[in-house]
Amino acid sequence: MDKLVIQGGKPLHGQVAIAGAKNAALPELCAALLSDQPVRLRNVPKLQDVRTMLKLLRHMGVQVSGELGDQALVFDAGRLTHIEAPYDLVKTMRASILVLGPLLARFGHARVSLPGGCAIGSRPVDQHIKGLKAMGAEIRVEHGYIDARLPEGMARLQGARISTDMVTVTGTENLLMAACLADGETVLENAAQEPEVTDLAEMLIGMGAQIEGHGTSRIRVQGVERLQGVDHAVVADRIEAGTFLCAVACAGGEATLAHARADHLDAVIDKLRDAGVAVEALEGGIRVRSAGAAGLRAQGFRTTEYPGFPTDMQAQFMTLNVVAQGASTVTETIFENRFMHVQELQRLGAAIHIDGRTAMIEGQSKLSGATVMATDLRASASLVIAGLVAEGETVVDRIYHLDRGYDRMEDKLRALGAQIKRVGASVPQREETT
């Protein structure tokens, strides 16, 4: 099992290119199922979750031209052979649920295994099911599968007004895709407003969908008979960009993040500036400059749905607070089990106390290198950032989590001057506890 070995204390200087967003690419791969014409996607990130989704699409009979790392991938879903997403292919990735809406809308039937993914808390699919039922689908959940189909005599899903009980990004995306081929108008109330949802909507509009209100909490979709092919570029990954902003803030230095979108990171950038970090929006990127941990001021925050502070940046910014001057509190409102990185940060010397969904942090901790264990995707990133600041050597174990969401993070950090390398299982591991 691969791990990262980091020698801390090196400031970061230079430029890195931010990859396409995982959370945009995954639904956009699924959107290819909505058309029998070729769909061309550019800027698809080289990530484990994307590889898993490609494997699932190929299993269904989608013809995929090109390989990850190429300028573009072309998808032809003209002749599907399977309308099932089996457990073996989806057990590691919750985003696999996103094939449900497109398959049901185009073929009238879908069978999708209940998905897996990071163990950061409850992310129920009941809102997906509720919305599709409102559009006329008959759905059964049994033997670990969601079986959805149109009733006998119904040719298409029916437009409906759907108000989800909670803001759900994948729920919004699934229902948005399904609504594109429904009969009549669908209104999605309490819709997710994330840039990745907006990017998906723009791709669907390019395919001929009639969508209004994306980027707001109310999305209107007028169903059409069919969708055509499209050439679309995946939006830059705001969470990868935010992670590198925090890395430079903690380690010190100056870097340019090519392709990053400052307008997608307002809440994070505001906190970074309050912390004493210089962040400048450029045409085609972001520039960040920091004196390092000694010049940082701790900032409290509360995670909320977009455009608030993203839960996917909570762990990375907590690391900043650990090494910054002053006390701070961090409240996690989205996932109930997203403080698993705290114990690992404590192994490095962080002063953090947990009370329910709130973390209380005493800043200016002097971190010292140790072996730590990645527990989920963003926790992995927070430990890498901590390793860049810690004295001595830090080993981050189980980085397969990291590879699910970051394209060659160690290569990009090394290009900025970090002393970091990927190694195999020869590095000693500490014993896991249960």
Side-chain angles (χ1 to χ4, degrees):
M1 189 177 296
D2 286 358
K3 43 187 67 71
L4 293 179
V5 179
I6 308 166
Q7 297 291 336
K10 304 291 185 181
L12 304 179
H13 293 276
Q15 176 172 310
V16 293
I18 299 302
K22 172 180 84 86
N23 290 338
L26 294 176
E28 288 166 6
L29 291 171
C30 296
L33 295 167
L34 290 165
S35 177
D36 61 2
Q37 297 182 12
V39 169
R40 187 171 186 263
L41 282 179
R42 292 173 283 118
N43 202 32
V44 179
K46 291 179 63 177
L47 304 173
Q48 189 56 46
D49 276 7
V50 174
R51 293 185 180 93
T52 301
M53 186 66 79
L54 290 174
K55 188 174 181 180
L56 174 60
L57 293 177
R58 288 187 172 108
H59 165 81
M60 292 178 174
V62 177
Q63 299 298 310
V64 182
S65 301
E67 298 293 335
L68 279 180
D70 292 350
Q71 186 175 10
L73 297 176
V74 179
F75 303 85
D76 186 347
R79 295 183 178 179
L80 259 63
T81 56
H82 297 84
I83 54 171
E84 177 179 307
Y87 173 74
D88 285 348
L89 290 180
V90 307
K91 61 186 178 182
T92 62
M93 183 181 64
R94 289 181 180 268
S96 56
I97 192 68
L98 288 166
V99 302
L100 179 63
L103 288 175
L104 180 61
R106 184 172 162 209
F107 299 101
H109 184 205
R111 189 169 185 265
V112 180
S113 173
L114 292 170
C118 284
I120 58 175
S122 176
R123 290 189 278 187
V125 299
D126 60 334
Q127 300 304 304
H128 305 239
I129 293 172
K130 173 186 174 180
L132 293 173
K133 282 184 174 179
M135 299 171 75
E138 294 179 341
I139 299 180
R140 294 181 302 169
V141 180
E142 56 186 11
H143 308 301
Y145 279 80
I146 302 170
D147 190 279
R149 63 183 69 223
L150 297 181
E152 188 174 350
M154 181 184 289
R156 301 170 64 188
L157 290 170
Q158 301 298 300
R161 181 176 294 273
I162 303 168
S163 180
T164 53
D165 300 330
M166 56 188 290
V167 177
T168 160
V169 174
T170 55
T172 298
E173 291 166 341
N174 230 342
L175 298 175
L176 174 62
M177 289 187 283
C180 289
L181 294 180
D183 186 11
E185 183 180 73
T186 298
V187 179
L188 302 180
E189 304 278 7
N190 204 26
Q193 303 176 50
E194 274 74 1
E196 296 80 15
V197 176
T198 299
D199 196 55
L200 171 63
E202 291 296 332
M203 174 184 172
L204 294 169
I205 290 170
M207 297 172 71
Q210 297 182 17
I211 303 172
E212 296 178 348
H214 45 297
T216 76
S217 61
R218 177 182 294 164
I219 303 176
R220 292 182 178 273
V221 185
Q222 189 68 41
V224 297
E225 287 285 339
R226 62 192 300 268
L227 294 178
Q228 61 197 21
V230 71
D231 185 336
H232 179 77
V234 179
V235 70
D237 193 326
R238 63 192 171 98
I239 304 303
E240 183 187 25
T243 300
F244 275 89
L245 289 175
C246 286
V248 176
C250 293
E254 181 174 347
T256 299
L257 311 182
H259 312 309
R261 293 275 299 269
D263 58 325
H264 291 171
L265 283 165
D266 286 340
V268 174
I269 289 174
D270 285 348
K271 289 293 182 183
L272 284 169
R273 287 172 173 159
D274 290 344
V277 182
V279 183
E280 179 186 0
L282 307 174
E283 183 176 351
I286 301 174
R287 182 179 294 125
V288 55
R289 185 175 68 256
S290 171
L296 296 175
R297 298 182 296 272
Q299 302 296 314
F301 63 90
R302 180 185 183 90
T303 64
T304 59
E305 292 85 1
Y306 189 86
F309 197 98
T311 181
D312 280 351
M313 282 300 305
Q314 177 254 108
Q316 300 92 307
F317 209 101
M318 185 183 290
T319 298
L320 183 151
N321 281 340
V322 163
V323 299
Q325 180 178 354
S328 60
T329 59
V330 173
T331 301
E332 173 61 52
T333 72
I334 307 300
F335 296 121
E336 71 274 13
N337 196 25
R338 206 163 199 180
F339 283 152
M340 292 188 292
H341 52 284
V342 168
Q343 181 178 351
E344 302 305 303
L345 288 173
Q346 289 170 337
R347 283 181 53 78
L348 298 173
I352 308 172
H353 173 72
I354 301 296
D355 183 5
R357 291 195 172 198
T358 298
M360 290 157 283
I361 305 155
E362 290 294 332
Q364 286 199 308
S365 297
K366 299 299 183 183
L367 302 184
S368 59
T371 298
V372 291
M373 192 176 300
T375 53
D376 62 69
L377 170 54
R378 306 306 172 185
S380 306
S382 74
L383 298 176
V384 171
I385 295 172
L388 296 174
V389 185
E391 295 179 357
E393 181 178 276
T394 298
V395 179
V396 183
D397 201 356
R398 299 203 310 189
I399 60 168
Y400 61 85
H401 288 293
L402 191 75
D403 293 338
R404 290 184 50 239
Y406 293 92
D407 181 2
R408 298 171 295 109
M409 175 183 261
E410 71 276 13
D411 291 349
K412 293 181 180 182
L413 286 171
R414 194 160 48 245
L416 292 176
Q419 192 170 338
I420 179 174
K421 63 181 179 180
R422 178 183 293 249
V423 299
S426 59
V427 173
Q429 301 183 48
R430 68 183 177 89
E431 185 178 349
E432 291 189 40
T433 58
T434 56

